[in-house]
Amino acid sequence: MRPSNNGHRPDIAINMGKPGNFTGGLEFSSLTYTVIKKQKDDGKWVNKEVDLLQKITGYAPKGSITAVMGPSGAGKSTLLDGLAGRIASGSLRGRVSLDGMDTTPSMIKRTSAYIMQDDRLFPMLTVYETLMFAADFRLGPISRSEKRQLVERLIEQLGLSTTRNTYIGDEGTRGVSGGERRRVSIGVDIIHGPTLLFLDEPTSGLDSTSAYSVIEKVNDIARTGSTVVLTIHQPSSRILLLLDHLIILARGQLMYQGSPKDVTLHLGRMGRKVPKGENSIEYLIDVIQEYDQSELGVEALAEFALTGMKPPPLADGDFSTSTVLPSPAPAPRSGNQANGISDKSGKRLRLQAGTDDGREFDNSVRSPWNTSRSWTQSGVMQALKFTPTRQQHPDHRNPMSPSPGFYTYSSDMLQGTPTPQSSDYTVNENDYLTPDIAPSMSSLHLGPKFVNYFVTETWILMRRNFINIRRTPELFLSRLMVLAVMGMMMATMFWHPKKDMQGITDRLSFFIFTVCLFFFSSNDAVPAFIQERFIFIRETSHNAYRASSYTIAGLITYLPFLAIQAAVYAVIVWFALKLRGPFPYFLLVLYISLLSTNSFVVFISSIVPNYILGYAAVIAFTALFFLFCGYFLNSHDIPKYWKWMNYISTMTYPYEGLLMNQFQTPISFGVNPAGQEVTGFGILESLHIHVEESKKWEKVYFMLGWAVLYRILFYIVLRFFSKNQRT
């Protein structure tokens, strides 16, 4: 590596560069993520560009755990999102490659898994059912027995055998523990054998024992050949023994990259000695925070990490360099290893790609997702094929190791870590009975985007919906009970209406209240999608199923329940009040009214961020639809500038349809104050509602049209706007 401009030899660059025997994994060069933030400048709010990531260059070796660490606000989750393709195209600059091949977000989605900090799982599914549905979504058309065998094996590997038939649970339902729930989340996302595994704070909220158990399982996954990248905050000493490679950030800049064992050496070259009994990684983060709070800032440490230029001491001078060993001369390196990282200017960076000739990375490249090649997948699924015959690093895996000397350098670890092709594994056909279901990718073809057909996806989603409804019947039964009780109350209130104008008014009141009741009965569906939104985002972010199949499955699932609700209410009020007209039409209008209302509420729930705004929006629209449905002012008398509200009101069409079914007859319904008979046709004419029989079906068509439109809008929101992605 070239010396820095001031003539000092950048010894520290040995740690920052990629090891000469780098055998594959994730590489990234000059990742920069800039956002616009409002900041106060001279008393005025102005828009300024802020770099959340500043030219981050590094790597994550295959077959090992790479931990991204740093103080709060360092950019850990941002870097993880950038590597996982969860930052919108055009917002991230730089280059990302895997096993020497450039990647695209589509490639990352198909071959990686991203485990969020929060466990988003259905609480009323058991551990086995949760993993089986994940297998149905991700493994494609293999036999059911093979999926069961794979899931049973995965449950055993994750240490979940004792909780196999336990519900996931939530605040209201007792279920598995926090650590077990986290392991289930990991199992859901590794069921398809991803080459890349990203985890955002996998130990967050867990006790030390559960946290260690989770990372231990992640370590087992990494040893099968997957590239694992995770963010972690304040890991315990036992967990640190399981980490192979560190990336430490601060203020979006690279502070350190390399083996955990090299942190002490890194601090020594910086002029800092780790106090006796203190963890070197925690001490480095403390030093970073000291510089961050000083006038020098973390830029001095970023420069040191990049070029080896020793940072100036802090003003208080409390730290002496006299006790620190002098920086050793750099070990002899081959020409390939010398192609590490140059300066942080806009010049080209040259990184070793595991071949004799380095590959150039240009900082000026705007998009990190440039590719014309593909690569071969290998990963977690290999764990189901190969059984280790001996330990790879006995002292590395031993949590009781007495000293940090048991850490293995990243370069040594890559050389010593057995892969499915090494002699450290032997095939055990009794342990592996399923075919290799991880999709192989040629240099030109990545395989299908979705492993299942649309109809298959829809059927799987419907089965899961029915299980959830069966185990949480409160939502359906509460609606049914409300409609049944209200139907009986309506039947007794409007019993035997008088044959006068008051009796006619009572009938009109009954019909408008029925329409409003059906609208309000769907309001409790607001939380339905809001609760499932994060599960939907997690599952679809890696192409488990299509947004269209989710939309259709949700619609089909609720069709029979809506029909039961409408039928119960219709039967109660129809015979008690001796309503006129065809009963099938009366039932159909109520049913389609529920369908269109449910579609509207589901659409609203997809565009609001929480329950409060969802209920507020539904109530506001309910009031508007009620006002302009034609009850207070008939459609003829509504002002022209508000006429459009009458057309978009989903209450207009069921209200007019019910009136037409009741009054489309020449039979007298009473007498007016002048003593004249008032027929059904006369009532409709006075309300400016069409008398023709054919117009009745137009109301049904309009309601169906609105139901379809709201479902299409719901799909559009899911497809294009419900993404867990930074802009």
Side-chain angles (χ1 to χ4, degrees), residues 363-376:
N363 288 358
S364 62
V365 177
R366 298 291 295 181
S367 172
W369 308 111
N370 302 321
T371 182
S372 58
R373 293 169 292 181
S374 203
W375 39 272
T376 303

Side-chain angles (χ1 to χ4, degrees), residues 388-455:
T389 58
R390 65 179 183 270
Q391 270 188 311
Q392 300 96 326
H393 297 285
D395 48 4
H396 175 83
R397 294 294 304 280
N398 182 9
M400 302 305 293
S401 296
S403 72
F406 289 103
Y407 277 117
T408 305
Y409 283 88
S410 297
S411 57
D412 298 334
M413 180 276 303
L414 284 170
Q415 206 169 30
T417 300
T419 63
Q421 289 77 31
S422 74
S423 60
D424 283 340
Y425 283 81
T426 56
V427 178
N428 187 342
E429 293 186 0
N430 293 328
D431 290 343
Y432 181 73
L433 301 176
T434 60
D436 188 359
I437 50 184
S440 62
M441 292 173 291
S442 66
S443 58
L444 297 177
H445 184 60
L446 289 173
K449 184 175 181 180
F450 300 97
V451 298
N452 292 309
Y453 294 112
F454 170 82
V455 175

Side-chain angles (χ1 to χ4, degrees), residues 149-150 152-158 186 190-195 197 216-226 228 377-389 392 418-421 425-438:
Q149 293 173 8
L150 189 148
E152 294 288 0
R153 205 147 41 238
L154 183 59
I155 288 175
E156 183 177 353
Q157 291 173 347
L158 293 174
I186 294 173
I190 68 172
I191 193 75
H192 65 298
T195 297
L197 181 60
E216 189 178 33
K217 298 304 178 184
V218 172
N219 186 58
D220 293 338
I221 294 168
R223 290 296 178 265
T224 65
S226 290
V228 178
Q377 180 180 3
S378 65
V380 176
M381 291 306 299
Q382 300 293 341
L384 305 178
K385 282 186 177 182
F386 299 91
T387 303
T389 58
Q392 300 96 326
T419 63
Q421 289 77 31
Y425 283 81
T426 56
V427 178
N428 187 342
E429 293 186 0
N430 293 328
D431 290 343
Y432 181 73
L433 301 176
T434 60
D436 188 359
I437 50 184

